[in-house]
Amino acid sequence: MAPVLSGVWWGPEASVVRSEVAADAGAALWSGGVQLVLAVVLSTLTLLLLVSVLLLLCASCQGQKKAANGPEEGDHENLMNGVPQKETGSQSAESPATDVAVSSSRNGPLTSGTILTDTQDSSPQPSEEILSSQSELRSSKCPQDRELPSIPPDNALAGPPASGDSTYEVVKEIAATSRDVSAEDSLYETVKEIKDPPAHLGLPNGTTQPSPDVPPHHPHALLNGHLSPVTPERGPLCTGAEYASIDLKKKSRHSADMESKRRSNNANVPSHGPPEEPEDLPPPVPEKVLDENDNQPVLVNGSAGAGLHNGELDSPLSPAPGIDSPTLSDKEAPLYSSVAKTNCDEAVKEEDKEHDYSSIAEIKGLVTSSSDLYATVRDIYSQPEQPEEPVLDGTDPGYETIRLPKTSSSDDDRRAGAGEEGPDAATAEPDYECVGEQSASNGAPESQKVDGNGRGPEAPEEPRTGDGKRAGRDGDTRSVSLLEQKRKVVSSSIDVPHARRSEEEVDMDKVTAAMVLTSLSTSPLVKSPPVKVNEVLSGSWKDNGSAGPFTPSSNSSSGGYWSWSAPSDQSNPSTPSPPLSADNFKPFRGSGGSGGGAGPAGPEDPSLEEQDGSSLLFDEPIPRKRKNSMKVMFKCLWKNCGKVLSTAAGIQRHIRTIHLGRNCDSDCSDGEEDFYYTEIKLNTDSVADGLSSLSPVSPSVLSPPSLPSLGHLPDCHRPQQPADTKEPHGGGATPLSRSAPSALYLIHTDHAYQATAPVSIPSSGSSSGSACASFTPATGASFSISWQSPPVTFTGNTVSPSKSQGFGEQRSQTIAALSSPPRATAALSRKVRGEGKKCRKVYGMENRDMWCTACRWKKACQRFTD
DNA sequence: GCTGCCGGGTT
DNA sequence: AACCCGGCAGC
Ligand SMILES: [Zn+2]
């Protein structure tokens, strides 16, 4: 029976992990359909017997009840073999729901706690020997537990109570001995009593057939999971279940935790438990659960799994769950752990998974008791994947891992729940140790990396590279990550690092390429006007991709020089550049008012002209121009990070936090940051703005230029290098050159800001029209223009209009026209300043809290609008 | 120097 | 999105 049951149970559980597994188990179970019928009959008979017994027992007492329950359970097991299949089948089908419920329960610390506690009980058990001994019992029992919950009543009838009782008792004894609980025993009994009623109830329901019962049970399970913590709602049965779970928890706690605190709690609980039952219990449960989780994690691996089962199973059968749960938990734990691990790995790194697994496998080997159980389980289930698991960490890890894996399938909630469950998560981490550390360490690095490059996207694809990349990003982080990886991998540690390093470079290139792509893709979006531009660009881009990059005439239009610069400079930036260019145009137009977005080539002059015109008119189109003359920007020199910030403090902060990994703000700064950024002076205000604006959008872009490797990127990218050559033209220093592009970007922002944007787009489109290369050039052109344009100013004008029109920028012109006025007005429009008193003046700095939010934030006052 | 508030940045 | 703040321009 036990084996079969275990198989069945696993099926459902497996379903949790994988529906497929569940299905298989269900199929196997179904074979016993005939048996089910028999089981049903037996169950009915047993029910009658039970009823009679119950009546007798009622008079007598709890102790007897226990016996009765015990037998029932035993019967259940027997029956379960046949019947359970249905259950399993139902469960498998339901598995998602149940799982969800479970997950939800997990989410809720309390609910999860109940379930977990059960599992924990088994896991917590400090003494492995006991566990091992129990494990056997558990193997048989585990099924029971589950069965009980699902079909307690029916099965109970079946059989041989005596055997069941004996086992049950034995288990209890073992548990009791292992756990310490003398007092608990009493509690346990009380619990059983409570449970009994539910069991009875269950019987009637299930008497006819298990299948009907099953559904009800599940709800209960759910209730238990969800409500139990909170609780009040549960019916008698539910309460019983809770009790059981609670008791188990207590026991587990005792064994696992050992802590006096918990004991005290347990003691308290027992006293309270019996009388108050559900209400009182629920609150305690959560705590316990949490405690258990925390404590248990270390001890038990599979606790998590058990928890789940308990949730489901417990509700139906209070008594059995207690005992069984542990056993089940053990089995489950392995599976869970495996799953969890995988999940964790995924979370951390896909690649790592393998390594982790290996490590896990090793661990398994180490872990004797658990491993054995696992093996058996595995055999039964024949689940290839998970076995790995692991015993390793304790339950907590299992939980987390489980959550992750399962979550992937159905348990997203669980993860969230895990996150919510402070305790679990916390506990889990410690357990994880290796994995946890990796994840944690990785996580930090990753975040940094992401900032620097964009790795986020890539990571999934290339685990190795991801690692390597990570390492690459930060020397320190890398080393750390490597170390961590080594731990995980154990054997392969050495090779991995090196290989990864070598790979890293390549990866980096890829990454950079990816970055560029991403930036490109994003850049268009960023720009408002771009819409059209985007379309055009997109087309152009695509075309570019297929076709040669340059073909586009952008060069021709603008002139060789431009073409050069544009493509080359921007290679990486190029992607962004196109949009930028468009934006740039806009701003210019806006500023200049002349507007037409010149084409790529034409644009330069035109744009310049326009700008100039605008500039002539209003100097700096944009409202406020910041400092006309030089603007100083700060560029991050970190490897892949091209971030440009307008303030030294900002850049320092950026370096400190992102690259140096120092949380402490300025306090910690030792001046090291100073080495990682450089000042970039921009002539034009717009440039400065552009840079600033750029930094956010195109940080990655900037980085590319710095990186030589970018070349890998599509054709478009290569041009970048040439661009680099140009850069010098724009800005004195190479870094400056980079900045120059940024300046262009700035323009974009400005444009967007003003709204002239649309116009600029067309120009870009025209330029881009040819190909991506053209695109980049366009941007490049824009850059160059922006920089150089000033001198050129005039020539451009005439040209630009024609080109712009030619390109079909009619809008641009119109817009330009429109825009131009705005500019003039723009200066005007820029709110000169609020006339009336604002909050600040009205309420004074003293009453700053009385200010409108806008005033508090130094924004335009919303309260006293002029 | 105060005030209003934009733009950039962080959380 | 909320919040903060540097900095600029008008007065
Ligand atoms: Zn206000």
Side-chain angles (χ1 to χ4, degrees):
Chain A
M1 294 302 286
V4 173
L5 291 175
S6 65
V8 171
W9 284 100
W10 284 103
E13 292 178 354
S15 67
V16 173
V17 174
R18 287 185 179 182
S19 63
E20 291 178 356
V21 173
D24 294 347
L29 294 175
W30 284 103
S31 65
V34 173
Q35 291 178 349
L36 292 175
V37 174
L38 296 175
V40 172
V41 173
L42 294 175
S43 66
T44 55
L45 295 175
T46 55
L47 289 174
L48 295 174
L49 295 174
L50 291 174
V51 172
S52 63
V53 172
L54 291 174
L55 293 175
L56 295 174
L57 293 175
C58 291
S60 67
C61 284
Q62 300 173 347
Q64 292 177 350
K65 288 180 180 178
K66 289 180 181 177
N69 291 343
E72 289 178 352
E73 292 176 353
D75 292 350
H76 285 286
E77 292 176 352
N78 294 338
L79 294 178
M80 290 304 291
N81 291 345
V83 172
Q85 295 174 346
K86 290 181 180 178
E87 292 178 353
T88 57
S90 63
Q91 290 177 349
S92 64
E94 291 177 355
S95 64
T98 56
D99 292 352
V100 171
V102 171
S103 65
S104 65
S105 66
R106 288 182 180 176
N107 292 348
L110 298 177
T111 55
S112 64
T114 59
I115 295 168
L116 293 177
T117 57
D118 292 350
T119 56
Q120 289 175 346
D121 291 349
S122 64
S123 64
Q125 295 173 345
S127 62
E128 292 178 353
E129 292 176 354
I130 294 168
L131 293 175
S132 64
S133 64
Q134 290 178 345
S135 66
E136 293 176 351
L137 295 177
R138 289 177 183 176
S139 64
S140 64
K141 289 180 179 178
C142 293
Q144 291 177 350
D145 290 350
R146 293 178 182 176
E147 290 174 353
L148 292 177
S150 64
I151 309 170
D154 294 349
N155 292 342
L157 294 179
S163 64
D165 291 350
S166 65
T167 57
Y168 190 81
E169 290 176 354
V170 172
V171 174
K172 288 180 180 177
E173 291 176 354
I174 295 167
T177 57
S178 64
R179 297 173 185 171
D180 328 345
V181 184
S182 62
E184 289 178 355
D185 291 352
S186 64
L187 294 176
Y188 193 80
E189 292 177 353
T190 58
V191 172
K192 289 179 179 178
E193 291 177 353
I194 295 166
K195 291 178 179 178
D196 290 350
H200 292 291
L201 294 177
L203 293 176
N205 293 343
T207 55
T208 56
Q209 292 178 346
S211 64
D213 292 350
V214 172
H217 291 289
H218 291 284
H220 291 288
L222 294 176
L223 293 176
N224 292 345
H226 298 286
L227 298 179
S228 62
V230 175
T231 81
E233 295 174 355
R234 359 162 157 157
L237 294 178
C238 296
T239 57
E242 291 177 351
Y243 263 95
S245 64
I246 293 165
D247 291 347
L248 293 176
K249 292 177 181 178
K250 292 178 181 178
K251 291 179 180 178
S252 64
R253 291 177 183 174
H254 292 287
S255 63
D257 293 356
M258 303 294 292
E259 294 176 355
S260 62
K261 291 180 180 179
R262 294 179 183 175
R263 289 181 182 176
S264 65
N265 291 342
N266 292 340
N268 293 342
V269 172
S271 64
H272 295 289
E276 292 177 355
E277 296 181 349
E279 292 177 352
D280 292 352
L281 293 178
V285 170
E287 293 176 353
K288 289 179 179 179
V289 171
L290 294 177
D291 293 349
E292 289 177 355
N293 291 346
D294 293 350
N295 294 340
Q296 290 177 346
V298 173
L299 296 176
V300 176
N301 294 342
S303 63
L308 294 178
H309 294 292
N310 292 344
E312 293 174 353
L313 297 178
D314 292 353
S315 64
L317 301 178
S318 60
I323 296 167
D324 293 350
S325 63
T327 57
L328 292 177
S329 65
D330 292 349
K331 291 179 179 177
E332 291 176 353
L335 294 176
Y336 279 102
S337 63
S338 64
V339 172
K341 288 179 179 179
T342 56
N343 291 343
C344 295
D345 292 350
E346 290 176 352
V348 174
K349 297 176 181 178
E350 291 177 354
E351 293 176 354
D352 292 352
K353 289 180 179 179
E354 294 177 354
H355 298 291
D356 291 351
Y357 278 98
S358 64
S359 64
I360 293 166
E362 291 177 355
I363 294 166
K364 288 181 178 178
L366 295 177
V367 177
T368 58
S369 64
S370 62
S371 64
D372 293 350
L373 294 176
Y374 283 97
T376 58
V377 171
R378 291 177 184 176
D379 293 350
I380 294 167
Y381 291 92
S382 73
Q383 293 173 344
E385 300 175 349
Q386 301 92 8
E388 304 154 14
E389 8 270 330
V391 181
L392 308 178
D393 304 352
T395 57
D396 290 352
Y399 278 102
E400 290 178 354
T401 55
I402 291 166
R403 291 175 183 175
L404 295 177
K406 289 181 177 178
T407 54
S408 62
S409 64
S410 64
D411 288 326
D412 294 349
D413 294 351
R414 289 182 182 178
R415 288 183 181 178
E420 291 177 357
E421 294 175 356
D424 292 353
T427 57
E429 290 176 355
D431 292 350
Y432 280 95
E433 291 180 353
C434 298
V435 174
E437 290 177 354
Q438 290 176 345
S439 64
S441 64
N442 290 348
E446 288 178 352
S447 64
Q448 292 177 348
K449 290 178 179 179
V450 170
D451 293 351
N453 297 337
R455 224 175 238 174
E458 292 178 357
E461 294 177 354
E462 297 174 353
R464 292 179 183 176
T465 56
D467 294 349
K469 290 178 180 179
R470 291 177 183 175
R473 291 177 182 174
D474 299 348
D476 295 350
T477 57
R478 177 194 297 177
S479 63
V480 173
S481 65
L482 292 176
L483 293 176
E484 291 175 353
Q485 291 176 347
K486 289 179 179 178
R487 290 180 183 176
K488 292 179 179 178
V489 173
V490 177
S491 63
S492 64
S493 62
I494 296 169
D495 293 351
V496 171
H498 294 290
R500 288 180 182 175
R501 288 181 182 176
S502 62
E503 289 176 354
E504 288 179 353
E505 292 177 354
V506 174
D507 291 349
M508 291 298 291
D509 293 349
K510 292 179 181 178
V511 172
T512 55
M515 296 285 296
V516 172
L517 294 175
T518 56
S519 64
L520 292 175
S521 64
T522 57
S523 63
L525 295 177
V526 173
K527 300 170 183 178
S528 60
V531 178
K532 291 180 181 178
V533 173
N534 290 347
E535 293 176 354
V536 173
L537 293 178
S538 64
S540 65
W541 287 89
K542 291 177 182 178
D543 293 352
N544 293 344
S546 63
F550 286 73
T551 36
S553 57
S554 62
N555 295 346
S556 63
S557 65
S558 63
Y561 177 88
W562 290 99
S563 64
W564 282 79
S565 65
S568 65
D569 289 351
Q570 313 249 354
S571 58
N572 289 340
S574 65
T575 53
S577 65
L580 293 178
S581 64
D583 291 350
N584 291 343
F585 290 100
K586 292 178 181 179
F588 287 103
R589 293 175 182 176
S591 65
S594 61
E604 295 177 354
D605 293 353
S607 64
L608 293 177
E609 290 176 354
E610 290 177 353
Q611 292 175 350
D612 293 350
S614 64
S615 66
L616 294 176
L617 295 177
F618 51 100
D619 226 28
E620 300 171 16
I622 299 167
R624 280 192 174 170
K625 323 221 120 220
R626 311 162 170 98
K627 320 168 173 181
N628 294 339
S629 57
M630 308 275 297
K631 186 140 200 176
V632 177
M633 299 298 291
F634 298 89
K635 184 179 191 300
C636 177
L637 296 178
W638 204 268
K639 292 178 183 176
N640 293 331
C641 179
K643 188 158 191 172
V644 175
L645 297 179
S646 61
T647 62
I651 194 73
Q652 288 178 356
R653 187 174 177 182
H654 159 80
I655 293 168
R656 219 181 295 124
T657 58
I658 302 299
H659 300 306
L660 296 179
R662 295 177 186 174
N663 293 339
C664 43
D665 293 348
S666 61
D667 297 349
C668 298
S669 65
D670 55 356
E672 186 178 354
E673 312 90 73
D674 296 344
F675 296 96
Y676 297 101
Y677 71 91
T678 106
E679 289 184 4
I680 298 171
K681 293 179 182 178
L682 299 180
N683 291 340
T684 305
D685 297 3
S686 63
V687 172
D689 292 352
L691 292 178
S692 63
S693 65
L694 290 178
S695 62
V697 173
S698 64
S700 64
V701 172
L702 294 178
S703 63
S706 65
L707 298 179
S709 63
L710 294 181
H712 293 288
L713 296 180
D715 297 350
C716 297
H717 296 288
R718 289 184 181 178
Q720 293 176 347
Q721 292 177 346
D724 293 352
T725 59
K726 287 183 178 179
E727 288 178 354
H729 298 287
T734 54
L736 294 178
S737 63
R738 293 175 186 174
S739 66
S742 64
L744 295 179
Y745 292 100
L746 294 179
I747 294 166
H748 295 289
T749 57
D750 291 351
H751 295 291
Y753 163 76
Q754 290 178 343
T756 53
V759 174
S760 64
I761 295 168
S763 65
S764 65
S766 64
S767 66
S768 66
S770 62
C772 65
S774 64
F775 225 34
T776 53
T779 57
S782 65
F783 292 109
S784 62
I785 293 167
S786 64
W787 291 89
Q788 295 175 346
S789 63
V792 176
T793 43
F794 280 105
T795 58
N797 291 345
T798 57
V799 174
S800 65
S802 64
K803 287 183 179 179
S804 64
Q805 291 176 350
F807 288 96
E809 288 183 351
Q810 297 172 346
R811 291 182 182 177
S812 67
Q813 290 179 343
T814 58
I815 293 168
L818 295 177
S819 65
S820 64
R823 294 182 183 171
T825 47
L828 299 178
S829 68
R830 177 52 151 151
K831 306 174 175 175
V832 175
R833 180 179 194 178
E835 299 170 359
K837 291 180 180 179
K838 297 298 196 291
C839 298
R840 181 173 182 172
K841 196 154 191 180
V842 172
Y843 301 106
M845 294 297 290
E846 307 153 353
N847 298 324
R848 190 176 180 187
D849 54 346
M850 294 175 68
W851 299 2
C852 65
T853 56
C855 286
R856 261 185 275 127
W857 299 345
K858 292 173 83 170
K859 299 297 182 186
C861 180
Q862 296 174 337
R863 185 173 298 170
F864 302 99
T865 304
D866 292 346

